[in-house]
């Protein structure tokens, strides 16, 4: 069985379609949150994910902000503007779907959290101490997270805790230890590689493979400019930062 793992689509339908084409056949789809915010196609992305039958699908901090479940005080000006614009665009049905998504779900042997198992909506796991602490907050062997937009993997085994930045095509054996794995971001990568990022779990081989795929960044940027979304958000897509 192949599980396609996506996170942080951020209303970038062009990137999402490129990922779906690149991923080929899969048996189930898991989504780790932040379906909207930043990008130009929030309704289209919600509808596409629903049509694909993503389950479980999680909500993230940007989804919560659009739903007014989270104060945008913590957001920078550009993100706040994008949240406000997104809220105006979205229809009630799609908002209700977003509202139905939890930020954390346990599907043993996996725990799925948008940000971290300790603070599922907002904590960034970007360093070893934060990762180390979070291993105490889930019981399954593996925890899948998004939120940082970085395809990172934290592995805890007898030798200790290690951090890996996975590249396109790299495969990790999930039975080597306890893991916190991040598939990176479909719609707004931040590791310096602007290509959309996603992961595939091979359930028989028990492996996690990271994939990157180029998409038509200029097409997403044109749509963002047409909606007057903040230029910094438009420009960062081509740098993957
Ligand atoms: Zn995000």
């Amino acid at each position: 069985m192949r599980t396609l793992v996506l996170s942080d689509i951020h209303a970038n339908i062009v990137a999402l379609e490129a990922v779906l084409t690149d991923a080929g056949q899969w048996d189930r789809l898991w989504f780790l949150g932040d379906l909207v915010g930043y990008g130009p196609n929030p309704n289209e992305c919600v509808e596409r994910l629903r049509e694909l039958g993503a389950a479980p699908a999680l909500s993230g901090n940007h989804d919560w902000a659009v739903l007014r479940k989270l104060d945008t005080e913590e957001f920078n000006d550009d993100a706040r503007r994008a949240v406000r614009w997104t809220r105006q665009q979205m229809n009630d049905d799609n908002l209700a779907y977003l509202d139905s998504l939890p930020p954390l779900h346990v599907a043993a042997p996996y725990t799925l959290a948008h940000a971290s198992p300790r603070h599922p909506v907002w904590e960034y796991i970007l360093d070893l101490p934060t990762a180390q602490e979070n291993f105490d907050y889930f019981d399954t062997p593996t925890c899948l997270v998004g939120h940082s937009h970085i395809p990172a993997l934290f592995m805890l085994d007898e030798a200790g805790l290690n951090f890996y930045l996975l590249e396109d095509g790299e495969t990790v054996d999930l039975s080597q230890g306890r893991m916190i794995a991040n598939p990176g971001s479909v719609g707004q990568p931040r590791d310096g590689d602007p290509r959309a990022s996603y992961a595939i779990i091979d359930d028989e081989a028990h492996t996690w493979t990271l994939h990157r795929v180029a998409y038509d960044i200029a097409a997403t940027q044109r749509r963002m400019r047409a909606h007057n979304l903040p230029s910094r958000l438009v420009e960062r897509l081509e740098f993957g930062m």
Side-chain angles (χ1 to χ4, degrees):
M1 189 148 77
R2 273 161 65 88
T3 304
L4 173 59
V5 184
L6 307 181
S7 192
D8 296 276
I9 293 169
H10 283 291
N12 189 342
I13 192 77
V14 179
L16 175 58
E17 293 299 346
V19 163
L20 292 170
T21 303
D22 193 59
Q25 295 283 356
W26 43 267
D27 303 291
R28 55 185 184 182
L29 168 58
W30 291 350
F31 176 61
L32 303 177
D34 276 0
L35 188 42
V36 303
Y38 296 135
N41 293 103
N43 285 305
E44 292 84 347
C45 285
V46 171
E47 284 152 20
R48 191 71 167 111
L49 203 73
R50 293 178 76 171
E51 172 192 298
L52 292 164
L58 305 183
S59 52
N61 55 318
H62 286 258
D63 306 319
W64 276 36
V66 168
L67 295 163
R68 299 183 201 276
K69 290 162 91 165
L70 189 80
D71 202 328
T72 51
E73 210 95 300
E74 313 261 307
F75 284 51
N76 62 50
D77 284 349
D78 291 338
R80 199 177 307 125
R81 262 179 69 196
V83 163
R84 229 179 286 135
W85 177 85
T86 302
R87 195 183 287 146
Q88 288 161 2
Q89 301 299 309
M90 290 188 70
N91 66 47
D92 289 348
D93 200 36
N94 288 337
L95 285 170
Y97 171 77
L98 268 195
D99 199 22
S100 73
L101 306 178
L104 183 137
H105 180 94
V106 180
Y110 300 97
T111 298
L112 282 64
H114 173 62
S116 78
R118 174 167 58 183
H119 299 297
V121 179
W122 57 266
E123 181 179 40
Y124 288 94
I125 306 182
L126 288 167
D127 54 54
L128 291 171
T130 310
Q132 179 77 57
E133 288 165 24
N134 268 282
F135 275 99
D136 293 336
Y137 287 82
F138 63 100
D139 298 322
T140 56
T142 306
C143 181
L144 309 181
V145 299
H147 191 51
S148 69
H149 298 206
I150 305 224
L153 185 112
F154 295 89
M155 186 192 298
L156 184 63
D157 59 17
E158 281 107 68
L161 180 61
N162 274 295
F163 167 75
Y164 305 91
L165 265 181
L166 298 189
E167 286 173 26
D168 183 26
E170 245 183 291
T171 296
V172 173
D173 178 354
L174 290 173
S175 50
Q176 286 176 89
R178 291 189 79 204
M179 312 271 175
I180 297 176
N182 189 321
S185 168
V186 172
Q188 195 207 69
R190 291 181 193 160
D191 61 334
D193 182 344
R195 293 177 298 170
S197 188
Y198 67 97
I200 299 266
I201 296 173
D202 180 323
D203 290 275
E204 277 78 48
H206 216 57
T207 56
W208 169 268
T209 303
L210 201 277
H211 294 276
R212 302 303 287 256
V213 58
Y215 70 96
D216 189 350
I217 293 172
T220 297
Q221 290 177 316
R222 276 195 300 276
R223 294 178 192 196
M224 290 174 77
R225 287 197 182 97
H227 292 301
N228 261 319
L229 283 159
S231 54
R232 198 182 63 92
L233 298 182
V234 176
E235 284 151 20
R236 69 187 298 178
L237 290 179
E238 68 200 68
F239 304 108
M241 293 303 277

